[in-house]
Amino acid sequence: MLDKEVRMEWLVNRVAQEFKTGDVVNLGIGIPTKVANALPEGIKLILQSENGYMGVGPAPETGKEDPDTVNAGGQYATILPGGCCFDSATSFAIIRGGHVDATVLGALQVDEEGNLANWMIPGKMVPGMGGAMDLVVGARRVIVAMEHTAKNGGVKVLKKCTLPLTAAKQVNLIITDMGVMEVTPNGLVLTEMAPGVTFEGVQACTEAQLLTEA
Amino acid sequence: MAQVVSLEEAISKVQNGMTVMVGGFIGCGAPDQLLEEVCQKGTKDLKLIANDTGILGDAMSQLIVKRCVSKLIATHIGTNKETGRQMSASELDVKLVPQGTLVEQIRAAGAGLGGILTPTGIGTIVEDGKQKLVVNGTEYLLELPIRANVALLNAYKADKAGNLVYRRAARNFNPVMAMAADLVIVQVDNIVEVGEIDPDEVMTPGIFIDYLVQKKPLEVPDVG
């Protein structure tokens, strides 16, 4: 298998192929954020930041940080020409109202029914759900982008999530450093594999039964 | 009718035990000078409603660190470790709410609605203890309005009639909270005369606002 860094790059580039010009997209913190820099030539998205603006641009140059322009993670950001600002009610009307074409989020766990857990580990990590529950329910397509297994090697693609859910049955696509899985009524269909990865290799790191066709 | 008052006079209205809404999103658009005064006075037992509790070290975070708050409703507390610590130690009662639900609960209170129906939280622990309704075949949670005694807000510009203009992402929860509290106090970068803000430019109508407090002008880089 190729080394981790190469597979992570494959993952980010693969997520970036999911969009077309003009799509309104909300990218979560971490791996999803990197997708903005990996878009194919000529593809232009309208990125939303749920704290209240459309047209998320690249991070500002040093010395040009604007305290009133931060992204949903609280980091300094920029707003591209054509962007616009709004209040939180409008922001979540955009999200919940079905006006966001896709959201890309990380996950602690995801399962074969499209259930997602990414907001808390009881007794350990309880940061809160922020806007994630609304995004997963409201966005037209929900794409989970994550490392296939946890840092300790633990399995994250399960038959049934065990952590408290962010939302039930809302995930459409799971893209990891090992492959691409579509959530279908029959279960998870492994439609693509990262270079150098075998079906058996992915299945060995996955609790859910992977299918080759829907 | 909005009045321009001193910081001290405005914050003298914030009493121990009150329910207080605070605008801002991880510090951006938070009324930092109002919050510093609330902390300075040693205010206790506040029921705080806010998106988050700031980043450890900022004015918002100090409300928690200085133990001004006994009960919190928020969407995310991960940027202020002290909030999580007090919650784990059962020193602070924390209720976590999805962001889109919280803002609509506040809007419902301000708009005179009896609640809102949202699909967010269905099938999660957020639905525990809540009434569910099916409308046209889709399941929704009934979420109830949230009001406060006081709202502490931040705006970029205000005229003396209380009409507000926000800047960039600093708008966030501020306009919605302006409608949902008995007393609304706004920290403003620039207070101008009546007539100096075009009516089309106003983002929050002045009739919602009680007190305006002038803040030291913010240095904003020229970003076009």
Side-chain angles (χ1 to χ4, degrees):
Chain A
M1 215 156 56
L2 298 170
D3 77 30
K4 189 79 172 183
E5 202 175 315
V6 176
R7 284 187 291 128
M8 291 310 289
E9 196 182 323
W10 178 85
L11 154 61
V12 169
N13 285 320
R14 184 58 192 78
V15 174
Q17 288 168 26
E18 287 296 313
F19 311 111
K20 61 181 193 304
T21 291
D23 279 356
V24 177
V25 177
N26 185 299
L27 299 175
I29 308 296
I31 296 170
T33 310
K34 298 190 174 131
V35 172
N37 297 324
L39 292 170
E41 189 76 24
I43 298 288
K44 290 205 179 348
L45 306 183
I46 303 169
L47 295 179
Q48 193 227 13
S49 192
E50 67 264 27
N51 54 322
Y53 60 99
M54 207 59 96
V56 177
E61 292 167 38
T62 306
K64 293 244 175 152
E65 297 90 350
D66 171 5
D68 288 342
T69 308
V70 302
N71 63 23
Q75 287 115 4
Y76 290 119
T78 55
I79 305 175
L80 296 173
C84 59
C85 302
F86 32 79
D87 64 50
S88 299
T90 306
S91 189
F92 281 87
I94 290 167
I95 289 167
R96 227 190 293 93
H99 310 285
V100 171
D101 293 298
T103 185
V104 184
L105 310 92
L108 296 165
Q109 295 179 338
V110 61
D111 70 27
E112 61 189 22
E113 292 182 342
N115 297 313
L116 169 68
N118 76 349
W119 77 280
M120 74 174 287
I121 302 173
K124 279 191 184 163
M125 182 199 87
V126 192
M129 66 291 277
M133 286 193 175
D134 297 284
L135 275 162
V136 177
V137 167
R140 298 161 83 94
R141 287 182 79 214
V142 177
I143 301 171
V144 167
M146 63 173 192
E147 293 183 48
H148 199 89
T149 51
K151 292 230 158 31
N152 64 7
V155 179
K156 296 171 74 176
V157 184
L158 305 174
K159 287 185 189 303
K160 189 89 185 165
C161 291
T162 55
L163 292 170
L165 296 185
T166 306
K169 299 181 181 176
Q170 297 289 335
V171 176
N172 301 105
L173 197 64
I174 304 162
I175 304 180
T176 74
D177 57 315
M178 298 191 84
V180 179
M181 287 152 282
E182 257 177 51
V183 181
T184 75
N186 297 326
L188 297 183
V189 179
L190 183 66
T191 56
E192 281 175 61
M193 284 166 278
V197 175
T198 63
F199 182 93
E200 291 71 25
V202 186
Q203 183 65 74
C205 300
T206 307
E207 186 194 79
Q209 177 64 53
L210 297 174
L211 308 171
T212 50
E213 53 188 53
Chain B
M1 178 91 189
Q3 278 180 274
V4 179
V5 300
S6 69
L7 175 63
E8 295 72 20
E9 186 182 346
I11 297 304
S12 72
K13 309 293 181 188
V14 181
Q15 308 289 334
N16 293 344
M18 277 186 165
T19 300
V20 179
M21 278 175 189
V22 179
F25 191 107
I26 321 183
C28 178
D32 55 347
Q33 293 178 6
L34 301 183
L35 297 176
E36 281 161 15
E37 180 68 13
V38 169
C39 286
Q40 180 73 25
K41 278 178 53 192
T43 314
K44 293 288 174 214
D45 197 26
L46 295 178
K47 319 289 185 279
L48 175 64
I49 298 156
N51 178 64
D52 56 79
T53 50
I55 296 177
L56 207 48
D58 72 10
M60 188 72 183
S61 75
Q62 292 305 300
L63 282 184
I64 302 296
V65 171
K66 298 273 170 61
R67 297 177 175 275
C68 304
V69 180
S70 60
K71 188 172 180 194
L72 170 69
I73 297 177
T75 82
H76 195 273
I77 57 171
T79 51
N80 180 351
K81 297 264 179 288
E82 176 62 11
T83 309
R85 195 201 64 73
Q86 290 184 18
M87 178 173 75
S88 300
S90 300
E91 296 165 10
L92 177 65
D93 177 9
V94 178
K95 185 178 176 199
L96 292 165
V97 177
Q99 207 169 117
T101 298
L102 181 62
V103 74
E104 282 299 313
Q105 289 180 289
I106 297 167
R107 197 186 66 84
L113 303 176
I116 57 121
L117 298 177
T118 178
T120 303
I122 289 281
T124 77
I125 60 174
V126 167
E127 72 173 38
D128 292 354
K130 288 176 186 159
Q131 193 178 339
K132 283 196 242 180
L133 287 93
V134 177
V135 181
N136 293 332
T138 303
E139 220 174 6
Y140 295 93
L141 292 183
L142 172 64
E143 297 280 6
L144 302 177
I146 296 181
R147 273 196 77 80
N149 301 116
V150 181
L152 302 179
L153 308 179
N154 177 80
Y156 175 61
K157 191 160 66 168
D159 66 20
K160 289 180 176 171
N163 293 308
L164 305 182
V165 175
Y166 308 94
R167 191 173 171 279
R168 303 291 194 258
R171 194 178 325 183
N172 54 66
F173 278 75
N174 286 293
V176 181
M177 289 178 169
M179 301 189 291
D182 302 333
L183 184 80
V184 179
I185 304 172
V186 190
Q187 162 187 312
V188 186
D189 289 298
N190 307 290
I191 299 178
V192 300
E193 295 302 323
V194 168
E196 287 188 41
I197 300 178
D198 187 289
D200 285 337
E201 197 192 338
V202 173
M203 297 175 182
T204 291
I207 57 146
F208 294 131
I209 310 305
D210 297 290
Y211 293 141
L212 299 170
V213 176
Q214 173 67 54
K215 188 191 174 186
K216 276 189 292 181
L218 180 71
E219 281 179 36
V220 175
D222 182 10
V223 290

